Amino acid sequence: MELFILTPCLLIIVVLLNNSPGHLQQNGDTFSKTAELVLACQAGDKQAFNRLVLLYQTRIYNLALNYVKTPEEAKDLAQDIFVTAYKSLPSLREASKFSAWLNQLTINHCRNRYRKLQRRGYFTSTSTDDIIVPALVSTNTPERNLEKDERIDMVRTAIASMPEAEKEIIILRDLQDFSYEEISETLGLPLGTVKSKLNRARHALKNKIKHLLKTP
Amino acid sequence: MTDSMNCTSAQEMFSALADGELDAADVVRIESHIATCSHCAQEWHLFRESLAWLHEVQPVHAPSDLLVGIHAKLAHKNPITTWLRDLFGSPLSALSSMAIITLALFFWVANDTPTQTPQGTMADAGAFSQNRPPATMPTRLPARQRQVTPTFNLASDSWSNNLSSTTARLSAIPGLTPDYSITVHAPSPETQDLLYQRILSQNHWRVHPARNGTLLIYLDEQDLSHLQHTLGPHRLTMTPQPSLNKRNGALRAVSLRVETQ
């Protein structure tokens, strides 16, 4: 009797799981969509390029913002990245590798801009108070938001004061949600090195904000 | 069970433990070490706490005029090279031709300078050359001048004025044509304003003001029904009708206009 009840239930669950718009399925769609857009763009379709920008702009802008701190500079940097991408796109041989290719392009641009600004003393004269960045989703009360904003400011300041290599790996993994494999591919480092560098960088961050954290 | 791990090797595995990257045996080893070592227990607590702080940093919206700025930069940097490329065929010959033209212009400016500046000092020559049209590619404006911030105030009468400046920039985007076109028929100007505000206050899509009160909305195809729901019971015309087989992750551009009857 129980078997008669359980079997249809299991079947329904399996069907629902197969049809649900899960993370992987969505990623798959975005992935195939990107490849289509890249091919169209390479064939001269400007609308395809616009769509690629709209698809990747949040990711690229946020990555830039984590390097250069101010929204104005991040916007300029993100635009330069897409301009370079547009000009270099004809040389991309495999459309399916667009995302990794764009990541590398972005990191190179960010590193160059960061070093250029650092040489000019840009970061020493810029306070974290200048950063006004509205979050994508805000569901908390104003008081909780204020506390959270303060924590975020402190974290951003701590990250900004880290050496470049440590900062980079924290940004990619913890702020941009890259997988270990993506970081390895983007930075050209073996997987084991990525793991050990990430551990060191996270410990360094913990030590920087240790005095602000609650002890058990 | 004996503790087969020292503090250094335990702390080297914190990151992998936090990311769920350790195998079951290593998890047992490190957890049993943490359970017996108060120093590592505290370090592990602080490690997790700092990661929690770190993960509170959320992504932010890209500026609404990012795409417009990209096209402005492409248009700004390209005209001479494009013209030379069209004229001479290959990028290499275009570059060398540009170098020749730049040199020719330099000599022309250099020869012309004394007649315009009787004193003939270097400073005067510099000042004079600044008043001439640029001989080579125009220099890039400082970042602050390049910043364009669209203003968007639905409540004020300057709505159409604000739109017109933004429209000029948006119309500069080549090849931007919407997938869907929606016209909503609002019973009154108040309702029209309310609908615009509802659309703008949503996080499900990105909105760019376009010409004559039209909004360009970028959304995932699955959010089309949400957009229709936001518009309420008002009569609307939509062309073409959305596909029944919606693709998640498929980005769509919608042109939307609210008209008063």
Side-chain angles (χ1 to χ4, degrees), chain A residues 125-141:
Chain A
S125 59
T126 309
S127 158
T128 46
D129 295 341
D130 298 338
I131 304 169
I132 304 163
V133 278
L136 280 176
V137 182
S138 176
T139 52
N140 291 334
T141 60

Side-chain angles (χ1 to χ4, degrees), chain A residues 21 29 47 50-51 54 57 62 75-76 79-80 134 136-137 151 174 180 199 202-203 206 210 214, chain B residues 11-12 15 19 43 45 55-56 58-61 65 69 71 73 146 174-175 177 179 206 248 251:
Chain A
D29 268 359
Q47 171 130 341
N50 291 335
R51 283 165 191 270
L54 293 167
Q57 63 177 4
N62 276 278
K75 183 170 81 171
D76 187 56
Q79 285 172 342
D80 282 351
L136 280 176
V137 182
R151 284 200 297 272
D174 293 312
Y180 286 3
N199 190 59
R202 282 171 164 177
H203 272 289
K206 175 205 70 186
K210 208 172 193 171
K214 286 178 200 159
Chain B
Q11 290 181 26
E12 276 171 2
S15 191
D19 285 346
E43 285 300 305
H45 170 83
H55 293 158
E56 277 189 328
Q58 290 183 352
V60 296
H61 277 307
D65 56 348
H71 283 284
K73 283 188 178 191
R146 272 181 278 129
T177 51
D179 298 290
R206 294 182 53 72
N248 297 329
L251 190 73

Side-chain angles (χ1 to χ4, degrees), chain A residues 62-68 107 159-160 164-178 183 198, chain B residues 54:
Chain A
N62 276 278
L63 195 46
L65 187 62
N66 286 319
Y67 272 84
V68 297
I107 292 292
I159 294 172
E164 194 179 329
E166 286 183 353
K167 184 206 319 251
E168 201 159 70
I169 208 154
I170 290 258
I171 289 172
L172 293 180
R173 176 65 190 165
D174 293 312
L175 302 185
Q176 296 291 117
D177 215 18
F178 276 37
I183 298 172
L198 179 64
Chain B
L54 189 55

Side-chain angles (χ1 to χ4, degrees), chain A residues 2-4 9 18 26 30 33 61 75 82 87 102 107 122 124 126 128-129 142 158 164 177 186 188-189 200 211 215:
Chain A
E2 281 174 351
L3 194 67
F4 282 112
C9 286
N18 282 336
Q26 190 160 347
T30 310
K33 183 76 186 164
Y61 175 73
K75 183 170 81 171
F82 280 114
K87 289 177 177 174
L102 186 64
I107 292 292
Y122 176 85
T124 50
T126 309
T128 46
D129 295 341
E164 194 179 329
D177 215 18
T186 305
L189 296 171
R200 271 201 298 278
H211 60 289
T215 45

Side-chain angles (χ1 to χ4, degrees), chain A residues 139-151, chain B residues 56:
Chain A
T139 52
N140 291 334
T141 60
E143 293 78 20
R144 288 185 68 186
N145 273 340
L146 191 65
E147 282 175 22
K148 191 174 163 185
D149 287 349
E150 281 173 2
R151 284 200 297 272
Chain B
E56 277 189 328

Side-chain angles (χ1 to χ4, degrees), chain B residues 69-120:
Chain B
I70 292 166
H71 283 284
K73 283 188 178 191
L74 282 168
H76 183 65
K77 286 182 177 175
N78 271 340
I80 294 178
T81 45
T82 308
W83 174 69
L84 287 169
R85 209 166 281 186
D86 291 345
L87 200 63
F88 297 100
S90 76
L92 194 64
S93 59
L95 276 175
S96 54
S97 309
M98 198 167 92
I100 293 165
I101 290 172
T102 309
L103 275 174
L105 282 168
F106 172 77
F107 282 116
W108 175 66
V109 170
N111 288 333
D112 207 17
T113 301
T115 59
Q116 299 292 327
T117 54
Q119 301 303 314

